[in-house]
Every structure is written in C-alpha cells, then in structure tokens.
Amino acid sequence: MLKIVYPGLPPKEFSPNSRCHWSTRSKVGLKVQADVTLLIMEQGWVPKNVLERAVVRFKYGLPDKRRRDLDNLIGASKPMLDALVGVVIQDDRVGAITLEHSWFNSPRKPETIIEVEA
C-alpha cells in the first residue's frame, strides 16, 4: 500500500463552485500534480509498478469546524488523482479504480491523505 500525506486540502480552484480563470486553475493543477508526484517518489515508489486495478482513498484532515461540502472536496481532488495516473495507477477510468472519500478532524493543520491499495 502507498500512503501519501499532502500538506493541505485540495485546491479551492478545482472546487465545482470555483469561478477562477482557466489559466489560474491550470497553474494550480500543475503545481499540485508536481507536489503529489514528488511525495510519491519520496516514498520510493517505482513508476514501473503501475497498478491496473486499485482502491484509492482520500482522507481529508479538516483543521476547523467550518462547514464544508464533501462533494466539493471530491471534485477539487482531481489534480491529485491525475498525478497518480501513469505513476501509481494505470488509468483512472471507471472500473479500473474504486474511490473512497472520508474526512477527519486535524486541529493542527489541514492535510489530505491519499492511500492506494492493489
């Protein structure tokens, strides 16, 4: 199993409710993808170990008691999931992966934990 701890929540620019310009969204997406790829490589993952089928779990560590919609967190996680394609999982199409999403209290700092299991 691969476990990645991303320091922060998914980018708000990728929320379905975001009204940001496409170029801003693109820059943020590329930065998040690069950060997640670096975290994967720090775990010692070898890209030739690409999984054909996998369970991908996103666990969102919420730092405060603000109300958040889980569906917005799910939508905003797209660049994180895209960073896994070709490096950890073969494809993110329906049938190739099973996605699970949950949240937990993280009073110290926001974080997103991504777990990938064959």
Side-chain angles (χ1 to χ4, degrees):
M1 181 170 81
L2 176 67
K3 182 177 179 178
I4 305 157
V5 180
Y6 180 82
L9 293 173
K12 64 181 186 251
E13 291 83 0
F14 274 80
S15 169
N17 294 328
S18 175
R19 302 288 183 252
C20 72
H21 192 269
W22 67 266
S23 64
T24 303
R25 182 179 167 121
S26 177
K27 287 177 190 172
V28 170
L30 291 173
K31 169 86 169 88
V32 170
Q33 286 181 10
D35 291 346
V36 171
T37 302
L38 266 172
L39 291 169
I40 292 167
M41 296 305 160
E42 284 178 1
Q43 296 286 326
W45 187 267
V46 180
K48 60 185 168 188
N49 293 341
V50 176
L51 303 171
E52 289 183 32
R53 296 192 179 276
V55 176
V56 180
R57 293 182 191 92
F58 285 90
K59 299 178 182 180
Y60 308 103
L62 306 177
D64 50 35
K65 295 184 185 234
R66 283 181 31 209
R67 292 179 56 160
R68 290 180 173 85
D69 287 340
L70 184 59
D71 58 338
N72 288 339
L73 287 170
I74 292 169
S77 300
K78 181 171 175 28
M80 295 175 171
L81 182 60
D82 288 345
L84 301 176
V85 175
V87 179
V88 178
I89 57 177
Q90 185 175 7
D91 196 359
D92 61 351
R93 66 179 162 72
V94 173
I97 62 169
T98 301
L99 286 173
E100 296 176 4
H101 299 272
S102 62
W103 64 273
F104 62 96
N105 291 325
S106 178
R108 290 172 280 140
K109 60 183 186 278
E111 63 184 3
T112 303
I113 298 173
I114 305 166
E115 295 176 345
V116 183
E117 188 176 333

